[in-house]
Amino acid sequence: MNNKLVEIHYENDIAFVDFNRAEKHNALNMDMFKAIKQTIKTLKKDRNIRAVIVQGKGVDFCTGLDVRSVMKSPSNAVKLLFKFLPGQSNLAQYVSTGWQEIPVPVIMVLHGRVWGGGLQIALGADFRIADEKAMFSVMEARWGLIPDMGGTLALKELMPTDKAKLLAMTGREFSAKQAAKLNLVTKVSDSPLDAAKKLAEEIAQQSPDAVAGVKKLYKNAWWHSKGFALARESWYQIKVMAGKNQRIKTFNQTNPDNTKPFKSRDNW
């Protein structure tokens, strides 16, 4: 896939997603929202990729909502916020929550400004690796708004409520090192893209079915009851063990000099 706003290219079995609105600091207009949604749906169907690495072209990862562009038409707010059921993601939320539907690790490479909607998108990933000079902000407070792009799901997993409220109520900026202390980034690096590639390659050594199973298990069980989590563990383990890749991983582990390639990922 290659369009004006979002590009996908592949290296080995890794999909690289580039936000390509550099002249506007990758700010989110309506076409950008739609392009990200379509990108997620495309990657979700690809059973051969082993990881996704997302980055922004230009000087910033994403500076959030392109307010002037989005607000020029009253119908845009309806398009962003409309949903059939309250518990579903609308278009504004899907650009964050949708990354969790891709059954491979999604790694965000963050640099420059990661503001507002840009931070919401990053929070939807499995891992976030930030450049040492990256700057962050829950920016919505500056526009008299609340964060409403799905990042709340990640915030409740990553940090205490009082710290999340502090960021959302003040809209203050904070550094990559501060973000790491707040548990909002996985790692700070002077070469975040290289670090992301290394992590993706490390995970790719494991069974794609086991990796997909772990991602789905933790997504579904993290905040549910004890019984729900235990039931999901058992069911997903049976599914993993029934697949070919678990046997291939076991063979490779015991025969390091004669390894076999993994099969395409099962349907998760």
Side-chain angles (χ1 to χ4, degrees), residues 57-95:
K57 289 189 175 181
V59 298
D60 296 307
F61 173 76
C62 175
T63 54
L65 189 69
D66 186 340
V67 176
R68 182 175 298 178
S69 174
V70 172
M71 296 305 180
K72 68 181 181 182
S73 172
S75 65
N76 286 339
V78 176
K79 293 175 183 177
L80 284 174
L81 300 178
F82 174 78
K83 57 177 70 178
F84 287 106
L85 296 172
Q88 292 179 332
S89 294
N90 55 35
L91 177 58
Q93 294 165 331
Y94 191 80
V95 297

Side-chain angles (χ1 to χ4, degrees), residues 139-147:
M139 185 68 66
E140 287 81 0
R142 300 190 187 185
W143 298 96
L145 300 171
I146 67 169

Side-chain angles (χ1 to χ4, degrees), residues 108-171:
M108 298 280 172
V109 175
L110 308 174
H111 76 288
R113 289 175 290 182
V114 188
W115 284 0
L119 178 55
Q120 301 285 305
I121 289 171
L123 288 171
D126 301 292
F127 307 102
R128 289 159 294 281
I129 302 180
D131 181 82
E132 294 174 337
K133 297 180 180 179
M135 294 298 296
F136 299 79
S137 175
V138 183
M139 185 68 66
E140 287 81 0
R142 300 190 187 185
W143 298 96
L145 300 171
I146 67 169
D148 67 340
M149 284 178 55
T152 300
L153 296 178
L155 284 179
K156 74 175 186 177
E157 297 175 3
L158 296 172
M159 62 191 307
T161 306
D162 62 332
K163 299 292 179 63
K165 289 177 181 177
L166 183 64
L167 298 179
M169 290 179 178
T170 63

